[in-house]
Amino acid sequence: MSLPQQLRDESDFDQLPHNIPVSATIADTEEKKGFIYYFRFVIEVKTRGGSKYLIYRRYREFFNLHQILESKYSPENPDKPGPNTCILPPLPGKVFIGNKQEIAESRIPELNTYMKRLLGLPTWFLLDEDLRMFFYQTDQDTQQQPRALRRLRPPTRKVKTDKPKMDLFSSPRAEAMFDFRGNGKEELKLKRGEVIFLLRRVNTDWLEGTVNNQTGIFPESFVKIIKPLPESDSEGEGGGHTYSCLRCFLLTPSGVETRDVCVQEDLTIQPTYKDLLSRMRNVFKMDDVALNYRDPEGDLIRILDDEDIQLMIKESRRQEGKVNRPVNQFPWELYATISSDFSVYNTEA
């Protein structure tokens, strides 16, 4: 780069607004649980004015941003870029199979390089509205609490500490009266006769506890309380996550299978069709399933997209006062059917 060009670029950079992002580094990865679980990246952003803040982004948000920027600025002929075009850095490709945490961790070096090169493009590029919105700290970002930020911490010596021994006779605990296999990672698998050490009450029907070095939630109806939780923990003040319950049914020629699925989502959330379909496939261990709900007349209605999800939620909320459900249960229920048998179940209904 010639000296006049370098001076001109430096002058343009000095005139940038102070809130323009100029560097970004991934500080950690975090697992997000809900109707479908995924890993997101915790990113520390630095601005032209020197401020720092954290944002939380999934890989697919990187992918969507890259596609938008490509459509705007990629030259038709890479060998002859125009005045309002530039060569974007390569984004690591999609991975469809593998452990989600391992995939997220392996992407960190490539995504760090991608962001470094992206924010190192010409000054005019940094003013792009879509780029700025990606690195902008939203209200949702400000409400998040980072868990570790492993990659921002300087290396320190590990100090060996002795874990305090648990007093088995004074700890709140319960005995499993039935086997409970759980429907997801957050639910604790129990075997009859096992003693579970109680951590907190999730809601009126579910508890959180630990057994066999595993921690999770489980229905209180499956256990006998030996020593109850203290008052504060019983009221859900333990600082843990809030869980909501979704009742779902699998309709098969041999009968109906009912499952209550607990997720770390608020009752007011509207999930996507894709997330619900993925969740039902995982719960019932079947790929060939279709999503349905029952309308006020009792007919089975097929769900095909997000608009159908919105309609299902609206109709179920109209019926809230007419149907008694637990406080923590979603006002709508899902009916999973084998795709080819839909007409059979609708006729029987």
Side-chain angles (χ1 to χ4, degrees):
M1 182 186 293
S2 65
L3 182 59
Q5 177 68 40
Q6 182 180 351
L7 291 174
R8 184 164 63 251
D9 286 348
E10 289 177 358
S11 174
D12 290 343
F13 182 84
D14 290 338
Q15 295 178 41
L16 284 173
H18 280 224
N19 62 350
I20 291 291
V22 293
S23 71
T25 306
I26 294 176
D28 207 350
T29 59
E30 287 188 358
E31 184 179 19
K32 184 77 171 69
K33 295 178 181 178
F35 289 104
I36 185 169
Y37 84 95
Y38 56 86
F39 281 83
R40 61 185 180 180
F41 300 97
V42 186
I43 305 167
E44 184 186 59
V45 179
K46 297 180 183 178
T47 67
R48 154 84 173 79
S51 62
K52 298 179 185 179
Y53 53 79
L54 296 176
I55 61 174
Y56 298 77
R57 299 292 182 267
R58 296 179 64 174
Y59 169 79
R60 74 180 183 188
E61 293 174 277
F62 278 95
F63 186 82
N64 292 340
L65 172 69
H66 189 75
Q67 285 191 314
I68 292 170
L69 296 178
E70 271 193 330
S71 66
K72 286 183 176 180
Y73 303 115
S74 287
E76 293 183 9
N77 184 353
D79 296 327
K80 297 180 179 179
N84 294 319
T85 63
C86 57
I87 306 298
L88 297 175
L91 178 73
K94 289 185 175 182
V95 180
F96 298 97
I97 299 175
N99 180 281
K100 292 187 178 182
Q101 183 173 12
E102 291 177 359
I103 293 171
E105 292 286 344
S106 67
R107 279 178 169 155
I108 290 177
E110 293 174 302
L111 288 177
N112 275 335
T113 301
Y114 175 77
M115 291 188 291
K116 180 179 179 180
R117 292 179 178 175
L118 197 65
L119 296 175
L121 289 173
T123 305
W124 59 264
F125 181 82
L126 300 183
L127 295 171
D128 178 84
E129 191 65 25
D130 291 297
L131 182 72
R132 293 177 68 178
M133 287 305 299
F134 178 85
F135 288 105
Y136 177 74
Q137 188 182 41
T138 64
D139 290 340
Q140 190 174 2
D141 290 326
T142 60
Q143 293 167 9
Q144 305 298 317
Q145 193 69 27
R147 298 172 192 167
L149 303 181
R150 293 168 297 149
R151 293 173 177 266
L152 291 187
R153 290 181 173 177
T156 56
R157 276 195 330 164
K158 289 186 178 179
V159 180
K160 186 176 179 181
T161 57
D162 294 325
K163 291 184 179 179
K165 292 183 179 180
M166 183 179 285
D167 186 347
L168 301 182
F169 297 102
S170 64
S171 301
R173 59 198 185 279
E175 180 184 350
M177 304 303 292
F178 312 96
D179 290 350
F180 177 67
R181 59 183 178 178
N183 292 320
K185 282 189 172 183
E186 65 270 15
E187 295 183 13
L188 193 63
K189 293 177 174 60
L190 303 177
K191 289 185 178 180
R192 183 179 177 182
E194 287 183 329
V195 174
I196 308 100
F197 292 96
L198 306 178
L199 300 176
R200 68 184 183 95
R201 176 173 291 281
V202 176
N203 53 47
T204 54
D205 301 312
W206 288 73
L207 298 164
E208 185 176 32
T210 179
V211 64
N212 298 327
N213 293 321
Q214 300 294 319
T215 300
I217 62 174
F218 57 91
E220 185 176 6
S221 58
F222 277 67
V223 302
K224 178 179 71 176
I225 303 296
I226 300 173
K227 181 169 182 179
L229 286 159
E231 284 275 324
S232 60
D233 291 332
S234 296
E235 294 170 2
E237 296 175 1
H241 297 288
T242 299
Y243 290 85
S244 301
C245 181
L246 169 63
R247 178 152 292 178
C248 47
F249 306 87
L250 176 64
L251 308 182
T252 66
S254 58
V256 180
E257 186 178 341
T258 306
R259 296 283 182 87
D260 283 335
V261 180
C262 280
V263 294
Q264 291 179 16
E265 300 284 11
D266 189 81
L267 290 174
T268 59
I269 194 170
Q270 180 178 315
T272 65
Y273 168 76
K274 183 179 178 182
D275 286 352
L276 280 181
L277 182 61
S278 175
R279 185 75 181 195
M280 291 304 100
R281 285 173 174 169
N282 182 56
V283 167
F284 293 114
K285 310 301 180 188
M286 295 176 63
D287 289 329
D288 185 26
V289 296
L291 299 185
N292 313 271
Y293 71 95
R294 291 204 184 277
D295 64 10
E297 286 71 41
D299 292 327
L300 207 60
I301 307 298
R302 175 64 57 88
I303 300 172
L304 298 175
D305 52 31
D306 289 342
E307 288 185 5
D308 291 338
I309 296 288
Q310 188 175 5
L311 181 61
M312 172 190 71
I313 293 174
K314 281 184 179 178
E315 289 194 0
S316 62
R317 282 176 179 161
R318 290 195 198 107
Q319 303 296 316
E320 273 190 280
K322 303 175 185 178
V323 181
N324 290 324
R325 288 195 177 95
V327 176
N328 67 307
Q329 185 172 312
F330 287 98
W332 39 274
E333 297 174 338
L334 280 181
Y335 291 81
T337 58
I338 299 172
S339 300
S340 57
D341 292 337
F342 173 73
S343 59
V344 175
Y345 300 115
N346 215 16
T347 302
E348 292 177 352

